[in-house]
Amino acid sequence: MIREFSLPLAIILIGIVSTNVFADKPRQWSDATGKFKITASFLERKGDSVILEKEDGKKLTIKIEKLSVADQAFLEGLEAANPFSEMSEEEAGASKTTSSNSDNSADGDKVPPAGKFDWSDIEQIEILGGDRWEIPQPEMPGLGFEPKKVPLPKKGHFFEGMQPLALNLSSKKVAIGYLTGFSLPTPVARLVMGDLETGKMVSSDTVEANMKPLCLLNDGATVLMVGFDEKGEGADHVQSWKLKGKKIERGDLWVPFANDTTNSEERRRGRSEREVGYVAFGVPLADDLVLMCSNSGHMACFDIKTRVPKWHVLLGEPPAIGYNADNSLMSFINGKQLVVMKTATGEIVGQISIEDKGHIPWPKVAFSPSGKRIAMAAWDRVFILDVEKKEWIQELSFPGTNVGNAFAFPDDEYVLFDNKVLIHWPTRIQLWTIQDAHVASVAGEWAFLGCNTDSGGILFPTKLPTSKAISTLEAAQKQSDLFVVRPGSEMSIDVTGVPQQYKAKVSAGLEKAIQKIGCKVNPNAAVKVLASISGPKQEAVSYHMSGSHVVQTYQSRIVLQYNGQDAWATGGTNIPGMVMLSQGETMESYLAKASTTPNLAVFEGVTLPQYLQKPAPKGPNNQPQPFNTIGSSKLTANGLQ
C-alpha cells in the first residue's frame, strides 16, 4: 500500500513547490491557440488578468482566458501554493465592492463565478429519436388579476431604443430597458419597472452601461441584464440589477457559458469563441431557476442562487421556443422532430416527427393559452397540432408573406405573425394589423404592447383578438367575395411582359400552378396572373470567399391582380444568393452560364396562394396598406386605437 501511493504524492508535492519557488523566474507563456509565445516572469494577478514582465523590463497585461491551458494551470498552482498572499489596496477596494454587490444580489449570499464549473458533472439531456407523447395538461387558473396599462416616460434621446420586455406575471411586474449607444461617448442604459396590477411606473434609473433586460426574476425586483454588444459588457455577460427606490444596485458580472469553446462547425459560421457564449435568451422559472441558452444552442437550467445548472442540452442552434402559460413546458424543433420538455427538469414528455412537412426554414413554435394546441410556423406556413389527440389538424399557407421575427398563439383560434398580423386560422382570414408597437410580448391570453415616443410611452395589455376584431370577423364571414382566390375560382394568365421565346414555357408553368391549387383558367376572370421578365442588366455581385463578379441579371416576376389592383407577388433572379459548385466547376464558369438566360424555374415551380383575400383598400395618398388585413389598430401613448 505504501509503494502504491507514495509516488503520486511525491509528484503532487513537487509540483506545488516548484510552482511557488519559480513563480518569479522567467518562463515561456503561450496563448490558447499556441501560435504566440513569449518569455516573461510572473508579477501579479489582477482580477481576470495577469501581469508579466519581459526580460527587457517591459510589462504586459494579458487576459487569463486567452492563455493556454498549461499557463492557466500554472496560475492556479500559484494561488493554491500561497493562500495567505497579501491583497493590494486596489484589490481590497474591489473586494469590498464585490462583497457589497453580492450582499445586494437576489439571494443575498456570495456566489461562485458561473461557467467555470465542469459541465461533465451536470446532467446532460440527450434528445434521441423516438415517438413519445405523455404531455401533462396543467390547470390554467388565469392570472388572478387583470393587467392595467402602465404609463412610461417620454423618449429620453432621439436615438434611444426600447428593448424587448421582461415580463413576470407571477410577481405582476414588468421590466423595460432602453438603450442609447449611438452618437454618445459612452453607452447609456435606462431601466424602468412597472406594476401591472396597479398600472403604475414603480421606478426608473439611468446608468452608463450597455446592457438590456434578459428576464425579471420572481421576486419582482431583480432583473438579469445581458450585455448588448462589444462597446461595454459583452453579450456573453450577465449581471443582476435591483431597483431600490430610484437607484439601481448592480451585482457582479458573470458568464454563464464561459467554458463553451468553438468547434469546426462554429468556425465555419464565422463565430468567435466569445460569440459562441453569447446568451440568446433567459426565462425565469419557479424555485429560483432560470432557463438560458447560448448562441451555439447550449441550453441549461441554472439555479440562480448558486449559478450552477441543474441540467443542460446541446442543440447546435438556439431554438425558437414556445412556452405554455405557466412556463412549466416548452416546445421547439430539433432536427426533424417537434420536442416538448419540462423546463425545470429537462424531461422529454413529447416527440413527434415533422419529416412529412417538407423543408422547415427557421421554425417557430407556440402554445395556445389553454395548452391544448401547439402551432409551428415556418416562413409562410403554419401547422396546428391538437395536443390531446397528438394530431395535426390544420396546415395553412400564405405565399408571399413571412412569419417574421416573432410568432405567438394568443387565442386557441388565432395566431400572430411578427407581433403584428392576427390570423383566424380555422378560416384562414388575415383579420387584424397592430401598428406602431415598438415592443410586444404574448404571455398566455394576454398581449403586452409597448411604444416609446417623444410625447410619452405606454405599456398596453390587451387580449387578442379585441372585441372590435371579433365583430369584424363575424361580418367578414358573411361576405361571399372575401376571398378572391379559393379552390374552384377562376384565374386568367397574362404573359405580355415575357419575351416571345419564353412565353409558351411560362404560360404552361402558370397554368399548371393554377390547376394545382384547384382553380381554373378563364381568360375573362377578374383575378389575373401576370408574368414578366426584365433584363439583362449588368451588375456586380459579391460572394463570401469568392470576391466580386460581373454578371448579367434577369428579374422574373409573378403578380396576382384583382380588378387591376395588386394582391400578391413573388419573383426571383437568375443569379442566386448562394452557390454550390460541382466538382471541377469554378465560380466564373457557373456565373457565366447563369448569366445567359432568365430564371424560368420561378414560373415552373411557383406555388400560388390557395386562399387570397380581397386586396385591402389603399391608405392615404393612394398608398397600399402594409398588410392585407380587414382591420387595424394603432398603438399610441394613449393606448390602442
Side-chain angles (χ1 to χ4, degrees):
M1 294 292 291
I2 295 176
R3 294 182 62 186
E4 222 172 287
F5 287 96
S6 59
L7 184 57
L9 180 60
I11 293 173
I12 293 171
L13 290 174
I14 290 171
I16 293 175
V17 172
S18 62
T19 303
N20 188 33
V21 171
F22 298 106
D24 58 348
K25 302 296 182 183
R27 64 186 296 274
Q28 189 177 73
W29 303 76
S30 65
D31 73 327
T33 67
K35 295 180 180 179
F36 304 99
K37 295 180 173 61
I38 62 166
T39 299
S41 302
F42 169 81
L43 287 184
E44 61 177 315
R45 176 173 179 168
K46 282 194 173 183
D48 60 355
S49 299
V50 61
I51 299 176
L52 307 177
E53 184 176 23
K54 296 170 64 177
E55 292 178 312
D56 59 4
K58 292 182 179 179
K59 296 178 181 179
L60 303 173
T61 301
I62 303 173
K63 292 284 186 183
I64 293 173
E65 64 181 14
K66 293 185 177 181
L67 293 173
S68 67
V69 174
D71 290 339
Q72 292 186 39
F74 174 82
L75 294 173
E76 290 178 3
L78 287 178
E79 294 178 353
N82 186 7
F84 304 108
S85 59
E86 293 185 1
M87 190 180 292
S88 68
E89 291 183 10
E90 181 180 348
E91 290 172 322
S95 177
K96 290 178 182 178
T97 302
T98 303
S99 176
S100 174
N101 287 336
S102 297
D103 291 340
N104 292 323
S105 63
D107 51 75
D109 299 320
K110 292 183 178 180
V111 291
K116 291 298 185 182
F117 44 78
D118 188 350
W119 282 100
S120 63
D121 294 334
I122 310 301
E123 179 187 4
Q124 181 172 342
I125 307 298
E126 295 284 350
I127 302 179
L128 305 175
D131 189 13
R132 69 187 76 181
W133 205 254
E134 301 171 352
I135 299 175
Q137 285 293 311
E139 293 185 8
M140 299 300 171
L143 294 181
F145 74 102
E146 184 166 327
K148 295 181 180 179
K149 62 182 180 181
V150 179
L152 301 175
K154 63 182 180 180
K155 202 168 185 179
H157 189 278
F158 178 78
F159 296 104
E160 183 181 63
M162 202 174 189
Q163 299 303 307
L165 302 173
L167 287 166
N168 192 300
L169 298 185
S170 64
S171 68
K172 307 174 184 178
K173 299 292 194 302
V174 61
I176 306 167
Y178 302 80
L179 272 173
T180 305
F182 182 72
S183 82
L184 296 180
T186 57
V188 175
R190 183 157 59 115
L191 184 64
V192 172
M193 299 287 286
D195 190 313
L196 297 172
E197 187 173 31
T198 64
K200 295 181 179 179
M201 188 181 76
V202 178
S203 187
S204 174
D205 195 14
T206 301
V207 296
E208 286 189 6
N210 207 37
M211 307 193 82
K212 63 180 181 179
L214 182 68
C215 62
L216 173 62
L217 300 186
N218 292 335
D219 64 359
T222 305
V223 184
L224 292 189
M225 304 289 289
V226 64
F228 188 71
D229 56 25
E230 298 309 314
K231 292 180 181 177
E233 299 85 358
D236 54 342
H237 282 76
V238 172
Q239 187 175 45
S240 62
W241 288 18
K242 183 176 280 190
L243 273 166
K244 288 192 173 181
K246 299 292 183 180
K247 295 297 179 182
I248 291 174
E249 292 186 352
R250 303 172 65 179
D252 55 316
L253 287 165
W254 55 288
V255 184
F257 300 97
N259 280 357
D260 284 14
T261 57
T262 52
N263 54 34
S264 58
E265 177 67 13
E266 296 301 331
R267 285 194 294 271
R268 185 184 69 79
R269 293 172 180 155
R271 291 174 178 160
S272 68
E273 183 169 348
R274 187 175 186 183
E275 288 174 329
V276 174
Y278 283 4
V279 180
F281 62 77
V283 179
L285 309 175
D287 302 322
D288 294 314
L289 299 178
V290 175
L291 186 72
M292 295 189 197
C293 187
S294 75
N295 201 35
S296 64
H298 189 179
M299 187 164 64
C301 181
F302 288 85
D303 183 324
I304 201 61
K305 287 187 175 181
T306 63
R307 297 181 183 170
V308 174
K310 293 182 60 178
W311 60 266
H312 71 121
V313 59
L314 303 174
L315 300 173
E317 287 287 345
I321 293 181
Y323 304 90
N324 68 344
D326 65 356
N327 286 349
S328 62
L329 296 174
M330 62 179 169
S331 184
F332 56 90
I333 304 301
N334 183 64
K336 292 294 183 179
Q337 286 187 320
L338 183 144
V339 179
V340 181
M341 296 175 70
K342 291 184 177 180
T343 51
T345 63
E347 178 188 356
I348 298 174
V349 293
Q351 288 177 276
I352 185 171
S353 173
I354 59 171
E355 199 156 2
D356 62 334
K357 307 304 179 189
H359 179 51
I360 306 292
W362 303 290
K364 296 174 177 61
V365 178
F367 276 91
S368 69
S370 68
K372 294 181 179 180
R373 291 190 172 99
I374 295 175
M376 176 180 71
W379 199 252
D380 59 358
R381 293 188 296 161
V382 179
F383 305 86
I384 308 294
L385 176 69
D386 186 309
V387 173
E388 293 178 319
K389 296 180 180 179
K390 191 191 172 186
E391 178 183 341
W392 296 100
I393 58 176
Q394 184 71 281
E395 178 178 345
L396 314 172
S397 178
F398 303 93
T401 64
N402 182 359
V403 69
N405 296 317
F407 177 70
F409 208 163
D411 182 280
D412 278 22
E413 291 192 350
Y414 294 83
V415 292
L416 185 65
F417 276 27
D418 206 19
N419 289 329
K420 295 176 182 177
V421 181
L422 189 67
I423 298 171
H424 184 241
W425 64 261
T427 61
R428 290 180 164 87
I429 294 177
Q430 299 178 48
L431 178 62
W432 213 256
T433 299
I434 300 172
Q435 299 178 17
D436 295 345
H438 299 139
V439 294
S441 181
V442 175
E445 60 182 354
W446 286 93
F448 296 85
L449 312 174
C451 71
N452 182 32
T453 70
D454 293 333
S455 59
I458 193 172
L459 180 70
F460 190 83
T462 184
K463 289 186 178 181
L464 297 177
T466 62
S467 58
K468 177 64 175 176
I470 292 173
S471 62
T472 302
L473 175 68
E474 291 172 351
Q477 288 177 297
K478 299 174 183 178
Q479 299 178 19
S480 59
D481 62 344
L482 175 64
F483 289 99
V484 297
V485 174
R486 65 193 318 159
S489 60
E490 297 179 336
M491 307 168 76
S492 63
I493 297 174
D494 186 335
V495 293
T496 55
V498 176
Q500 184 63 39
Q501 66 267 38
Y502 305 122
K503 283 184 177 180
K505 199 167 188 178
V506 169
S507 184
L510 294 180
E511 185 172 348
K512 181 180 177 182
I514 291 171
Q515 295 170 349
K516 185 178 179 181
I517 61 173
C519 294
K520 303 173 183 178
V521 177
N522 182 342
N524 299 315
V527 177
K528 186 178 292 186
V529 185
L530 289 88
S532 63
I533 296 176
S534 61
K537 179 181 178 182
Q538 192 175 76
E539 292 185 38
V541 296
S542 296
Y543 291 92
H544 182 59
M545 299 181 67
S546 176
S548 297
H549 304 267
V550 177
V551 296
Q552 299 286 343
T553 62
Y554 293 85
Q555 297 294 329
S556 301
R557 184 169 169 80
I558 302 171
V559 177
L560 295 189
Q561 283 188 350
Y562 173 72
N563 289 339
Q565 184 177 349
D566 290 358
W568 178 88
T570 188
T573 178
N574 59 319
I575 305 299
M578 181 180 294
V579 174
M580 298 293 291
L581 298 176
S582 304
Q583 188 173 4
E585 189 176 28
T586 65
M587 182 64 80
E588 288 75 14
S589 63
Y590 178 95
L591 293 176
K593 183 179 179 181
S595 294
T596 58
T597 57
N599 183 2
L600 298 182
V602 170
F603 308 102
E604 296 169 337
V606 65
T607 299
L608 299 174
Q610 191 175 25
Y611 290 84
L612 182 65
Q613 284 178 222
K614 182 189 297 183
K618 292 188 177 181
N621 301 321
N622 206 33
Q623 293 298 312
Q625 298 281 32
F627 298 100
N628 187 28
T629 55
I630 300 172
S632 66
S633 298
K634 183 177 181 180
L635 185 65
T636 71
N638 296 317
L640 199 61
Q641 299 179 355

